[in-house]
Amino acid sequence: METTALIAACLAVVLGAGLQRVAGMGVGMVAAPVLTVFLGASVGVLVSNVAAIVTALLILRALRDGVDWRRVITILPLMLVGSVLGALTVREADTAWLDVIVGGSVLVALGASALLRRRVRIQGRPVAVVTGLAAGFMNTTSGVAAPAWTAYALATRWEHRSFAATMQPLLVVMNVMSVITKLGFGAIPAGSAPAWWVWPVLLAAVLAGVAFGNVLARRVTTRAASRTAVTVAVAGAVTALTRGLLSIAG
C-alpha cells in the first residue's frame, strides 16, 4: 500500500470511527468506499469489516449499559443467514448491479420510513426478520449495512441512545461473520491482503477515531446524533448506488 493511499485510508477510518461513536455507525459508510478505491472491492470491504469490529468493541465498552440485548438475540441469527447469502452472492454475482439494487432499495426504505414514522408505528417480528437479513447481506456484499438499520430505527421509533448502544454488539458479530464467510467461501483472492504492517497502523487510526468520537459525544445532543445517523445512512446508500452505476457505465 502506497503512503498516500495509507494516509487516505487512515483518515477515513478515523472519521468513520468517530462518527460511529456519535451516531452508532460510521466505519462502513466512510471507510469502505475509500478502502475499496485503493485495495479493490473485495479486499477493501474486508479491511473495513476488520476496522468496524475493533471500533464496535471499543465503543461497546462505553455504551454497554444501554444495549437492548433482547433485540440483539432476536436479530442476530437472521443477520448471520443474510451474511452467508451475501458471501455466496459476492462470489457469483456482478457487484455493480448489487450496489445499484441495494443502494436504490435502501433509499426508498429510508424515504418511506421518514414519511410514515409520524403516522404509523411499525413493529413485530417480520420487520426484524427483513432488517436482519438485509443488514447481513448488505454488510457482506458492500460493507454498508447502516441504511437498513436506520430505516428500521425510523420505522419502529427506536430511541437513539439505545439504538447506538445496541448497534455495537450487532456490528461486532455481523462483521466477524462477514470476514469468516468471505474467507470461507473463497470470495477474497489469494495473496491480496495488505502487508502485515498496515494492520497496526489502521488500529492506531481506529483508536484515534474513537477517542475523537468520545469528545464529540459529550457535546452532541440526542436529536443531533439521530439526525447524523440518518445522514450517514443516506450517504451510504447514495455511495453504493453511485458506485454501482459508475461501474456499469464504465
Side-chain angles (χ1 to χ4, degrees):
M1 185 182 254
E2 296 180 359
T3 302
T4 302
L6 183 59
I7 292 173
C10 286
L11 290 175
V13 170
V14 169
L15 180 57
L19 190 57
Q20 186 160 314
R21 174 63 180 87
V22 175
M25 56 208 171
V27 171
M29 297 290 110
V30 178
V34 175
L35 290 169
T36 55
V37 169
F38 294 110
L39 299 176
S42 56
V43 178
V45 173
L46 178 71
V47 175
S48 174
N49 290 147
V50 175
I53 292 168
V54 179
T55 302
L57 285 171
L58 292 171
I59 296 174
L60 178 59
R61 182 181 177 187
L63 303 182
R64 60 185 179 276
D65 291 340
V67 176
D68 184 341
W69 291 106
R70 185 175 180 179
R71 291 201 200 218
V72 172
I73 293 171
T74 299
I75 294 174
L76 267 182
L78 306 165
M79 226 170 46
L80 301 183
V81 173
S83 183
V84 172
L85 294 174
L88 291 171
T89 304
V90 167
R91 188 181 66 179
E92 304 294 340
D94 185 341
T95 55
W97 281 107
L98 280 176
D99 278 341
V100 171
I101 294 170
V102 168
S105 300
V106 166
L107 285 174
V108 171
L110 285 169
S113 298
L115 290 173
L116 295 175
R117 64 175 172 169
R118 294 182 180 179
R119 303 173 186 175
V120 180
R121 183 168 186 174
I122 301 173
Q123 54 189 341
R125 186 170 179 80
V127 181
V129 169
V130 173
T131 303
L133 290 173
F137 182 86
M138 291 168 61
N139 194 68
T140 301
T141 55
S142 62
V144 177
W149 293 118
T150 305
Y152 174 63
L154 287 173
T156 58
R157 301 180 190 175
W158 194 354
E159 192 274 323
H160 181 74
R161 292 189 185 280
S162 173
F163 167 74
T166 306
M167 280 301 302
Q168 304 317 308
L170 290 172
L171 286 169
V172 170
V173 177
M174 182 165 58
N175 283 286
V176 167
M177 277 304 299
S178 292
V179 171
I180 292 174
T181 52
K182 279 186 283 194
L183 293 176
F185 287 110
I188 304 299
S192 59
W196 67 267
W197 56 268
V198 172
W199 296 103
V201 174
L202 292 176
L203 174 60
V206 169
L207 293 172
V210 172
F212 174 60
N214 284 333
V215 174
L216 287 180
R218 290 193 289 267
R219 303 182 180 184
V220 175
T221 65
T222 300
R223 185 175 182 181
S226 181
R227 288 179 175 176
T228 300
V230 174
T231 302
V232 170
V234 171
V238 171
T239 297
L241 178 60
T242 304
R243 183 172 58 197
L245 290 173
L246 289 175
S247 296
I248 294 170

